Amino acid sequence: QVQLVESGGGLVQPGGSLRLSCVVSGFTLNARAIGWFRQAPGKEREEVAAINVLDVAFYKDSVKGRFIVTKDDAQKTVYLQMNALEFDDTAVYYCGRLGHRYLAQTAWTRFDAYDAWGQGTQVTVSL
């Protein structure tokens, strides 16, 4: 059974850091790319970052230089290190598994290219 479980969210002040984790089961990280998306209240889910099976990472422009995505194949975990957090980073963060027929380099931003999602973890940036 395919599962993705996020954790690590919380309340942080602007400029602070959080590290999110996405633990997967039912498949291996050397077979599928993983993406991170987020959804703020009243907004559509948007892409944040992704990492492919070869450890190549992709980022939304607004998080480049602040967020880092990595993975540990043995631990079946993908991490999203978030630094210099801003108010606009407040959202529920989701990890998703990219569908097997998609190439991460060209499809990682497409919500419809993912075939499994976690339940999400809340990140709140506030004073």
Side-chain angles (χ1 to χ4, degrees), residues 68-102:
I68 303 170
V69 58
T70 58
K71 65 184 178 84
D72 183 328
D73 287 3
Q75 295 297 319
K76 304 192 79 173
T77 303
V78 178
Y79 302 98
L80 183 67
Q81 177 67 43
M82 305 188 297
N83 302 317
L85 283 161
E86 304 170 353
F87 292 120
D88 286 348
D89 295 319
T90 295
V92 178
Y93 283 70
Y94 301 89
C95 61
R97 185 182 75 167
L98 192 68
H100 68 89
R101 65 189 182 95
Y102 293 99

Side-chain angles (χ1 to χ4, degrees), residues 2-7 20-38 46-60 68-73 75-80 93-100 102-105 107-111 113-118:
V2 172
Q3 278 193 314
L4 300 92
V5 181
E6 303 95 335
S7 63
L20 306 185
S21 299
C22 172
V23 179
V24 308
S25 58
F27 67 101
T28 58
L29 292 177
N30 60 11
R32 297 290 195 98
I34 299 295
W36 285 96
F37 279 61
R38 64 188 181 188
E46 63 175 7
E47 74 284 359
V48 176
I51 188 164
N52 71 6
V53 299
L54 299 177
D55 283 358
V56 177
F58 308 91
Y59 298 97
K60 181 181 181 66
I68 303 170
V69 58
T70 58
K71 65 184 178 84
D72 183 328
D73 287 3
Q75 295 297 319
K76 304 192 79 173
T77 303
V78 178
Y79 302 98
L80 183 67
Y93 283 70
Y94 301 89
C95 61
R97 185 182 75 167
L98 192 68
H100 68 89
Y102 293 99
L103 187 64
Q105 183 174 3
W108 77 272
T109 62
R110 290 177 50 184
F111 176 78
Y114 292 79
D115 61 7
W117 292 95

